Amino acid sequence: MEKNGNNRKLRVCVATCNRADYSKLAPIMFGIKTEPEFFDLDVVVLGSHLIDDYGNTYRMIEQDDFDINTRLHTIVRGEDEAAMVESVGLALVKLPDVLNRLKPDIMIVHGDRFDALALATSAALMNIRILHIEGGEVSGTIDDSIRHAITKLAHYHVCCTRSAEQHLISMCEDHDRILLAGCPSYDKLLCAKNKDYMSIIRMWLGDDVKPKDYIVALQHPVTTDIKHSIKMFELTLDALISFNKRTLVLFPNIDAGSKEMVRVMRKKGIEHHPNFRAVKHVPFEQFIQLVAHAGCVIGNSSCGVREVGAFGTPVINLGTRQIGRETGENVLHVRDADTQDKILQALHLQFGKQYPCSKIYGDGNAVPRILKFLKSIDLQEPLQKKFCFPPVKDNISQDIDHILETLSALAVDLGGTNLRVAIVSMKGEIVKKYTQFNPKTYEERINLILQMCVEAAAEAVKLNCRILGIGISTGGRVNPREGVVLHSTKLIQEWNSVDLRTPLSDTLHLPVWVDNDGNCAAMAERKFGQGKGLENFVTFITGTGIGGGIIHQHELIHGSSFCAAELGHLVVSLDGPDCSCGSHGCIEAYASGMALQKEAKKLHDAGTALGLGVVNILHTVNPSLVILSGILASHYIHTVKDVIRQQALSSVQDVDVVVSDLVDPALLGAASMVLDYTTRRIY
C-alpha cells in the first residue's frame, strides 16, 4: 500500500442520493472496485434513487454490478420547503444505525443536495472522516449554503477547478487536504463522443431525428424563488413549442417546487405533444451521447454549464440557479425573462452551433488522482479538523509561482522542414519538446500533428502540467477567427484552406488557436520577450523567408483580410530580383536565407534592403521598438541601424533596434495565444 501509516485496507463508504450525484461518484466507485487490495467498498443508497416517480434510479447502480449494502427511504413527499427539512431529519434518524454497522474509515459525499448535508452531519458527529467531492464551487440558491456547510464538516476535499480550490483556501480549509483533481464524470465524458450514438438518439427521440437537430431540456426549481422559477419554466416550454424542434424534456428533481413544474408540463400537454419526449430518467452513458450530439441544451441544470462543455454543444442557461458557475464560451445566459421572446431569440442564436470543447472542469484523469489521494490518507492522524486562520503564508497552494508552473499550453510550430510540439509553462519555459520531419502531404501532416499532440498531452499529466489549450504557429496567411490556413508558403505543400481547429479540438477536447508564424513571433515578444509592457513595437523574422508582426496599442494587427505585417514583401527596389510571391524587389528577395543562397548576395546588401524596410515601417506605424528575430538577426542589426541613421526622418532615428533573446519565438508565440486568453478570467 501507499505510505499512509495504515496497515490494512481502507474501508470506504460511498453514499449516493440521486441520479446526478451517481454520475460523479460512479467513476470513483469503479476505480475503488478495481483495487481490492487497497480498498473495501460499501454502497449506501438513499433519497430520490428509491422513488418510482423519479425513475427508481437505484437500478442503474445494480446494473453497474455494485452491491448495494443499504437502502434508506429518506424522502418525505410533498415537494415543498417543509418536505425538504423533514427529509433531512428522517435521514438523520436512520443513518446512525447504518454507520454504526458499517464502521467506515471514510465516507465519500458529493455536492450540495440536502440529502448530502444529512450524510455529512451524521458522519461528522460519529467521528467518521469525510471526503467531499466538488466543494468550493459557486452556483446559486440554497445549494451554495449547503455546499459550503458540507465543506466545513468535511476532512478532505476534491475540487474540480482552480477557482474552487482558491475558494476552499479562502474558507480556511487545510491546504494539504485539498486535491485539485477535476470532475470525475469527465473521465467518462472525454472518451464517449465517438461511440455509437444513433441508436440512442432514435430510442429516446424517434427514428426520424438527426444529430444536431434536437434539443435536450433539463430545468429544476429554484428553492429560494420558487414562484419565479416556475414562471421561467412555463416561458421555456412556450419558447420550445414555438421553436418547433424535437425536444427531450427530463422531469425536474425532487426540490421544493418540482410538483408545480410537473403540473405546468401537464397543463401544456408536453407528455403528449408530438415534438416532445418527457422522461424521468436517462442512464448517464446514454445521456452523454444525447447532449454530445444535440443542437442545443437548455435549462438550469449544472450539467449544462459543466459536463456539456466537454463536447462544445451550445447551452442556454436560464435564471439564477447556476449564476456563479465557471462556464465555457458555449454557454449563453438568460438571467431573466418576462416573455418567451428572449428565450426564443436565444434558441435561434444557439441552436446548431459547434463551439470549441472546454476542459474547465476536468481533463479526464480525475479518478487516478482521487485514488492516489485516498491511499495517502493516514488514519493515525488526529481526526479533529484544523482550520487556517489566517491562510498560511508561503503555502504552495496559494503560491502564484506554483500556479504559473502548472498552467501550461501545447504549442505547435509548423515549419517548412520540421514539425515541433512543446509543453510551455505560464513563465515561458519549454517543459518538453517533440520534433519530427514535416511530411509532404496533408493527410500525413495532420495525422502526425494529432499524434504528437496526444502524446504531449499524456506526458503533461505525468509532469503535473494542466494543459489549457493548443496554439499553432504556421507559415502562410491564416484566419485566426476560424482557425483556418487560407494560403500557405511554397515551403509547405498541400496546406491551403486547411481547418486546423476542428480536428485538434475534437480529438483532444481543448480550445485551439491558430496564427501566422510572424504574428506568433510578435506575440512571443509581447508576453515573454523585449516587447513585454510596450504599447507599440514591430518584430521582423529573418530566416528562410522574411516575416513579422506588428503590435499596436498592445494588440496584434491582422488586417481586413489577415494579410497585415507581410513585412517580407515590402518593396525596397522597383527593379530588384524576383521574389517567391511573384513580384520583385521585395525584402525577402534580398535578405532571406533562400535569397542569400540563390543569389550569393553580400550580407551588407541584404542588410541594407532589410534596413530600408524597417525605415518604411518606422514612417508608417511609428513603433517605439524594432525587434529582429531569427538566425540572421545578429548579422543584420548593425547595417539596419546605419540605414536608419542615413534614411529615416530625424523624429524616428532614435528608435531602438534590438536582437531578440528568445530561443523559440514561434513555439512561445503559439503558447502565448492560449495562455493570454484562457487565464484572463483567473488573473
Side-chain angles (χ1 to χ4, degrees):
M1 293 185 69
E2 301 276 335
K3 293 183 178 180
N4 57 6
N6 308 328
N7 54 12
R8 60 178 177 82
K9 292 191 285 186
L10 194 70
R11 193 171 186 87
V12 180
C13 176
V14 177
T16 172
C17 311
N18 53 65
R19 66 192 181 194
D21 77 13
Y22 181 66
S23 69
K24 317 293 178 65
L25 293 170
I28 303 172
M29 294 162 64
F30 280 114
I32 290 172
K33 194 174 181 180
T34 60
E35 300 197 26
E37 68 275 21
F38 291 106
F39 306 107
D40 282 328
L41 175 64
D42 291 316
V43 179
V44 174
V45 173
L46 65 158
S48 60
H49 273 309
L50 301 170
I51 297 180
D52 181 64
D53 286 353
Y54 293 89
N56 280 327
T57 50
Y58 73 89
R59 294 195 184 103
M60 65 183 178
I61 303 172
E62 294 176 331
Q63 290 167 1
D64 284 340
D65 202 26
F66 289 112
D67 295 326
I68 299 176
N69 185 279
T70 303
R71 294 175 173 83
L72 286 181
H73 292 271
T74 58
I75 296 298
V76 176
R77 300 305 299 272
E79 284 78 20
D80 58 15
E81 295 95 330
M84 292 168 64
V85 177
E86 291 167 356
S87 297
V88 171
L90 183 58
L92 288 171
V93 169
K94 292 186 173 184
L95 279 166
D97 286 342
V98 175
L99 298 180
N100 267 329
R101 174 168 50 84
L102 296 179
K103 292 182 168 46
D105 296 315
I106 189 162
M107 173 175 278
I108 298 180
V109 177
H110 169 269
D112 50 29
R113 307 292 300 143
F114 58 85
D115 325 68
L117 180 60
L119 287 164
T121 302
S122 301
L125 291 173
M126 297 184 71
N127 291 324
I128 297 168
R129 298 167 196 266
I130 301 165
L131 176 69
H132 184 209
I133 309 293
E134 292 187 10
E137 296 185 17
V138 178
S139 55
T141 75
I142 193 65
D143 294 353
D144 269 345
S145 300
I146 293 175
R147 186 186 310 110
H148 301 329
I150 296 173
T151 289
K152 305 320 294 178
L153 294 169
H155 303 80
Y156 307 96
H157 313 274
V158 172
C159 54
C160 302
T161 70
R162 182 69 65 181
S163 294
E165 180 188 39
Q166 295 303 311
H167 292 157
L168 290 173
I169 293 168
S170 298
M171 292 166 68
C172 304
E173 294 300 313
D174 186 346
H175 309 169
D176 294 332
R177 295 190 172 195
I178 300 171
L179 172 68
L180 176 56
C183 183
S185 63
Y186 266 61
D187 291 24
K188 184 174 290 186
L189 292 173
L190 295 182
C191 62
K193 189 172 182 182
N194 293 326
K195 295 181 180 178
D196 174 48
Y197 55 87
M198 281 307 303
S199 60
I200 296 172
I201 294 174
R202 294 190 188 104
M203 180 196 312
W204 292 99
L205 288 143
D207 294 337
D208 57 334
V209 178
K210 297 178 181 178
K212 297 296 181 185
D213 198 35
Y214 61 89
I215 297 169
V216 175
L218 181 54
Q219 200 157 339
H220 303 300
V222 178
T223 54
T224 50
D225 194 353
I226 295 173
K227 186 176 179 180
H228 181 266
S229 66
I230 292 169
K231 178 63 175 175
M232 194 78 160
F233 184 53
E234 192 170 359
L235 295 175
T236 302
L237 294 179
D238 288 341
L240 288 169
I241 291 169
S242 299
F243 196 65
N244 198 31
K245 287 288 182 182
R246 190 68 54 84
T247 302
L248 180 72
V249 180
L250 277 81
F251 276 68
N253 64 20
I254 202 168
D255 282 351
S258 60
K259 189 161 54 177
E260 288 83 354
M261 292 181 75
V262 173
R263 288 197 189 107
V264 170
M265 289 175 62
R266 288 173 177 158
K267 178 182 175 183
K268 293 185 178 295
I270 295 301
E271 291 173 286
H272 305 291
H273 194 290
N275 260 356
F276 287 83
R277 302 291 185 270
V279 299
K280 296 176 180 177
H281 167 66
V282 178
F284 184 62
E285 290 79 5
Q286 297 177 25
F287 183 72
I288 290 172
Q289 300 297 336
L290 290 170
V291 297
H293 298 91
C296 181
V297 173
I298 187 170
N300 63 5
S301 171
S302 62
C303 76
V305 297
R306 293 170 59 95
E307 282 83 0
V308 178
F311 308 114
T313 302
V315 171
I316 300 171
N317 180 49
L318 301 172
T320 60
R321 191 169 183 265
Q322 307 298 336
I323 197 167
R325 296 274 190 196
E326 298 173 74
T327 64
E329 60 181 288
N330 64 312
V331 179
L332 177 64
H333 299 279
V334 179
R335 303 295 189 197
D336 199 4
D338 297 324
T339 67
Q340 63 164 303
D341 292 346
K342 192 182 291 186
I343 301 172
L344 193 58
Q345 287 174 357
L347 284 165
H348 283 293
L349 282 172
Q350 286 286 78
F351 187 79
K353 283 187 177 180
Q354 180 62 45
Y355 290 92
C357 300
S358 167
K359 296 175 77 173
I360 293 173
Y361 286 95
D363 59 5
N365 296 282
V367 171
R369 295 183 182 117
I370 294 170
L371 296 183
K372 185 177 180 180
F373 189 60
L374 281 170
K375 293 173 189 175
S376 72
I377 293 174
D378 187 354
L379 299 179
Q380 306 306 313
E381 286 185 351
L383 183 66
Q384 178 60 47
K385 281 188 66 170
K386 291 183 179 179
F387 298 101
C388 303
F389 301 108
V392 177
K393 293 181 179 180
D394 300 328
N395 188 284
I396 197 165
S397 296
Q398 287 184 297
D399 184 356
I400 190 66
D401 291 331
H402 174 67
I403 295 173
L404 296 182
E405 285 170 4
T406 56
L407 294 180
S408 306
L410 278 189
V412 180
D413 174 29
L414 194 70
T417 304
N418 291 324
L419 174 60
R420 301 186 299 159
V421 174
I423 303 169
V424 181
S425 74
M426 186 67 74
K427 291 181 178 179
E429 297 170 354
I430 295 180
V431 179
K432 187 153 188 177
K433 183 164 61 176
Y434 307 79
T435 303
Q436 297 276 3
F437 286 114
N438 190 351
K440 299 300 183 186
T441 66
Y442 162 79
E443 188 171 347
E444 292 176 322
R445 187 177 300 122
I446 200 72
N447 287 336
L448 182 58
I449 293 173
L450 292 172
Q451 176 190 327
M452 293 175 72
C453 286
V454 168
E455 182 182 344
E459 184 66 20
V461 175
K462 300 176 185 176
L463 296 171
N464 196 32
C465 293
R466 183 173 288 273
I467 300 298
L468 300 174
I470 304 169
I472 303 176
S473 166
T474 180
R477 188 163 67 95
V478 175
N479 179 344
R481 297 173 192 163
E482 304 294 334
V484 173
V485 181
L486 301 174
H487 302 292
S488 182
T489 66
K490 292 184 178 180
L491 294 174
I492 308 176
Q493 301 170 11
E494 296 188 19
W495 208 238
N496 296 325
S497 301
V498 174
D499 178 3
L500 285 176
R501 176 174 292 160
T502 300
L504 278 163
S505 180
D506 286 350
T507 301
L508 283 96
H509 307 288
L510 287 169
V512 177
W513 287 264
V514 187
D515 214 326
N516 166 269
D517 50 7
N519 289 335
C520 285
M523 288 187 281
E525 297 292 346
R526 180 178 64 182
K527 186 167 184 66
F528 302 114
Q530 299 187 65
K532 192 171 185 178
L534 295 182
E535 186 176 3
N536 304 290
F537 70 90
V538 174
T539 298
F540 277 83
I541 301 177
T542 62
T544 307
I546 300 290
I550 300 172
I551 301 294
H552 180 64
Q553 295 181 344
H554 299 293
E555 296 295 332
L556 181 71
I557 295 177
H558 282 103
S560 60
S561 59
F562 315 108
C563 201
E566 287 290 350
L567 305 182
H569 300 292
L570 292 175
V571 176
V572 293
S573 174
L574 294 177
D575 56 356
D578 293 339
C579 181
S580 60
C581 70
S583 183
H584 53 267
C586 301
I587 297 176
E588 189 167 292
Y590 285 96
S592 67
M594 290 188 300
L596 291 172
Q597 289 179 340
K598 182 178 179 181
E599 302 289 340
K601 295 183 181 298
K602 295 179 180 178
L603 277 174
H604 182 271
D605 293 342
T608 300
L610 181 61
L612 291 172
V614 171
V615 169
N616 289 335
I617 286 294
L618 294 178
H619 292 165
T620 305
V621 296
N622 193 23
S624 59
L625 177 69
V626 175
I627 303 171
L628 302 185
S629 180
I631 56 175
L632 296 171
S634 59
H635 298 289
Y636 288 153
I637 186 165
H638 297 298
T639 307
V640 168
K641 288 182 176 181
D642 289 341
V643 173
I644 292 173
R645 282 193 294 269
Q646 296 165 14
Q647 301 290 335
L649 295 172
S650 59
S651 56
V652 297
Q653 286 185 5
D654 293 333
V655 170
D656 284 338
V657 181
V658 298
V659 174
S660 172
D661 53 11
L662 298 180
V663 177
D664 281 304
L667 286 173
L668 293 177
S672 75
M673 290 190 286
V674 177
L675 301 174
D676 278 346
Y677 182 83
T678 56
T679 57
R680 282 177 185 171
R681 76 183 84 201
I682 300 174
Y683 305 112

